Amino acid sequence: MNRSTPVYDLVKERFTTAKDNEPLVIPEEAIVVPGSRAVTHPAGKKWGLSLYAAVIVKYRDDKTDARVQLEDLLR
């Protein structure tokens, strides 16, 4: 992931990119997983291409925190 990678937030139904003079900022408590997005260029559509995308699938909550604690204990 780099500065030009858009991050798609499924929870808030929006996407985030870096600002002109600022870095890409991932919201606190966001759970980010790898995903893909369709290429809208005609050749991309024709060939069924997709590009890497970072996807926020949820934000941490008590249940997520409990799972992380369990993983830490198992390590």
Side-chain angles (χ1 to χ4, degrees), residues 7 9 12 14 16 24-32 56 59:
V7 179
D9 188 334
K12 296 181 179 178
R14 63 181 184 196
T16 302
L24 175 64
V25 177
I26 303 296
E28 283 192 47
E29 308 294 317
I31 308 296
V32 182
I56 296 173
Y59 288 83

Side-chain angles (χ1 to χ4, degrees), residues 28-45:
E28 283 192 47
E29 308 294 317
I31 308 296
V32 182
V33 300
S36 63
R37 61 188 175 108
V39 173
T40 57
H41 184 278
K45 283 182 179 182

